Amino acid sequence: MRVGIAFHEKYQQYDFGPGHPFRGDRFSNSMKLFEDQGLLKLPHIMVLQPEIARRADLLRVHNRNYVDLIFDFAEKSRPYDLDTPVSPPILEAALYIMGGGLKIGESLCAGEIERGVSLGGGLHHAGIDFGGGFCLFNDVAILARFLQEEHGIKRVLILDYDVHAGNGTSNIFFSDPSVLFISVHQDPKTLFPGTGFIDQIGKGDGEGFNVNLPLPPGTGDNTYSFALREIFIPLAKEFKPEVILANGGSDPHFADILGSLTLTVDGFFDLSRLIVKVSEEVCHGKVVLHIGSGYNPSILPNCWYALAAGVSGLNKIGVKDATKPPVEMSWCRERVKATIKELKKILGKYWNCFR
Ligand SMILES: [Zn+2]
């Protein structure tokens, strides 16, 4: 079993400046921890250097007007919105990050690796004709389409475990039954982007293939894992994808400054291993994690390492949280159970496993 980790020095240009929660040192800090922990020296780990994505790759999911708009904004160093600056170096870095996902996809299809980590990926707030939330282009969606269009893969499952709902990915695949999109996130009534409710299930042919599982602020490792076992595992078994793409960085961690879920470093390790285990059961272990988010720089590398170590098949990790997570509120599990019950009722029309 071989694992590819895509990384390029230029990723560091994806830096929104002092005072902004998205800084470019996240990539190098994480790679340094991977190095220090010995991950990069393991014989089955390959670091892959991507090239920039081509415009044609962006157009696999984004429309031409939007792509032109971002290139134009970059030239003028004009921000897309208040949260999302654009400049020539940021655009170049974004294209390298898109290229990272594609590099993993190429290596996977060439049989050079079985699992991949696209470091810095998971820019899931970019939709067909919009960006925002620190995202210009959607690398996860571009990779899914690349695999379908260039390598004949029919069914892709995307598990989005970022603390924020993946509104961009949802938008791109909302009418498409060939991509099962499952987003597990903090209740959007309490967090950006304000969408990702259980009744947003897709439309037309894609009805039933867009799944949102919102969790209350304060949800911890055990309840999170319970929710995945109730929703993600049965859907993956019934959908039978040919590859699983997953995305999310450290923003569901209890010490993150934007999110309010309360996962731990150990929780991320378990989450990653669970995704791998499911991929082995349903799609011969073909899995790619896009690890990019996180807004507390002091815990980000540990969480990213835990995720990467899980994909890499490690049985234990040498990093842990310095402090204990808050205790989950007693009502939290019951609330999640009620949401799951309601969600299964809605999805039962489309999925045997929930009938
Ligand atoms: Zn996020």
Side-chain angles (χ1 to χ4, degrees):
M1 186 274 293
R2 291 150 302 172
V3 181
I5 299 178
F7 171 73
H8 198 290
E9 291 288 336
K10 294 260 190 182
Y11 287 2
Q12 293 174 79
Q13 293 173 191
Y14 208 84
D15 185 329
F16 294 167
H20 193 290
F22 204 113
R23 301 303 310 272
D25 58 0
R26 61 186 53 227
F27 312 105
S28 46
N29 290 344
S30 298
M31 281 302 271
K32 185 174 180 312
L33 182 66
F34 292 8
E35 180 104 57
D36 292 348
Q37 292 294 316
L39 185 70
L40 305 182
K41 287 197 191 72
L42 296 175
H44 68 292
I45 305 292
M46 302 158 67
V47 178
L48 306 172
Q49 183 158 307
E51 289 163 18
I52 56 169
R54 299 162 311 143
R55 214 180 166 85
D57 289 316
L58 307 177
L59 293 171
R60 292 180 194 279
V61 306
H62 301 290
N63 73 20
R64 196 170 293 275
N65 284 348
Y66 174 71
V67 172
D68 288 347
L69 181 83
I70 295 301
F71 276 71
D72 184 48
F73 279 14
E75 228 168 77
K76 296 172 181 149
S77 287
R78 182 177 156 189
Y80 178 78
D81 62 21
L82 277 178
D83 291 332
T84 317
V86 190
S87 67
I90 290 172
L91 175 61
E92 188 183 29
L95 296 177
Y96 270 108
I97 294 170
M98 301 302 119
L102 294 169
K103 181 77 184 173
I104 295 284
E106 278 165 6
S107 303
L108 201 72
C109 292
E112 293 157 7
I113 57 171
E114 285 73 40
R115 304 176 193 167
V117 172
S118 181
L119 209 77
L123 298 164
H124 63 161
H125 297 306
I128 297 169
D129 59 355
F130 62 88
F134 318 155
C135 306
L136 300 177
F137 305 117
N138 190 320
D139 56 309
V140 186
I142 289 172
L143 176 56
R145 280 290 184 245
F146 169 78
L147 294 172
Q148 290 184 320
E149 292 168 2
E150 305 299 328
H151 293 282
I153 284 180
K154 291 191 178 66
R155 290 177 313 283
V156 179
L157 189 155
I158 300 177
L159 175 69
D160 187 328
Y161 58 84
D162 192 280
V163 77
H164 305 94
N167 60 321
T169 315
S170 170
N171 166 256
I172 290 162
F173 299 116
F174 210 60
S175 313
D176 185 349
S178 72
V179 177
L180 171 59
F181 177 61
I182 305 173
S183 184
V184 184
H185 46 259
Q186 183 181 325
D187 186 345
K189 287 200 291 285
T190 64
L191 191 67
F192 180 87
T195 59
F197 298 101
I198 57 171
D199 57 353
Q200 294 174 249
I201 56 166
K203 69 175 185 196
D205 291 343
E207 206 177 295
F209 292 85
N210 187 95
V211 176
N212 287 291
L213 176 50
L215 302 170
T219 300
D221 289 339
N222 290 340
T223 299
Y224 193 94
S225 165
F226 165 78
L228 285 182
R229 285 167 205 279
E230 287 289 313
I231 298 295
F232 164 56
I233 296 182
L235 283 175
K237 285 183 177 167
E238 186 168 339
F239 183 62
K240 298 187 178 66
E242 287 153 85
V243 62
I244 294 178
L245 310 182
N247 70 275
S250 64
D251 62 9
H253 187 273
F254 70 85
D256 190 80
I257 59 166
L258 296 187
S260 304
L261 296 184
T262 58
L263 266 57
T264 66
V265 167
D266 282 342
F268 283 104
F269 187 49
D270 291 344
L271 164 64
S272 175
R273 291 197 298 169
L274 175 75
I275 297 168
V276 166
K277 188 165 169 282
V278 173
S279 77
E280 278 170 345
E281 283 174 33
V282 302
C283 53
H284 310 289
K286 286 209 166 95
V287 63
V288 182
L289 254 60
H290 304 252
I291 306 174
S293 71
Y295 308 102
N296 178 339
S298 65
I299 52 103
L300 180 148
N302 282 356
C303 300
W304 286 25
Y305 173 70
L307 290 164
V311 179
S312 303
L314 271 60
N315 293 320
K316 59 178 175 25
I317 47 172
V319 301
K320 50 163 71 98
D321 287 307
T323 57
K324 281 197 171 144
V327 176
E328 188 178 278
M329 301 294 277
S330 55
W331 49 263
C332 188
R333 177 67 75 104
E334 289 313 310
R335 174 91 64 89
V336 171
K337 276 186 180 169
T339 303
I340 287 171
K341 194 174 167 198
E342 190 73 11
L343 183 58
K344 284 181 177 175
K345 207 168 124 193
I346 294 170
L347 295 175
K349 192 174 157 194
Y350 314 95
W351 297 95
N352 287 326
C353 58
F354 295 146
R355 270 172 211 155

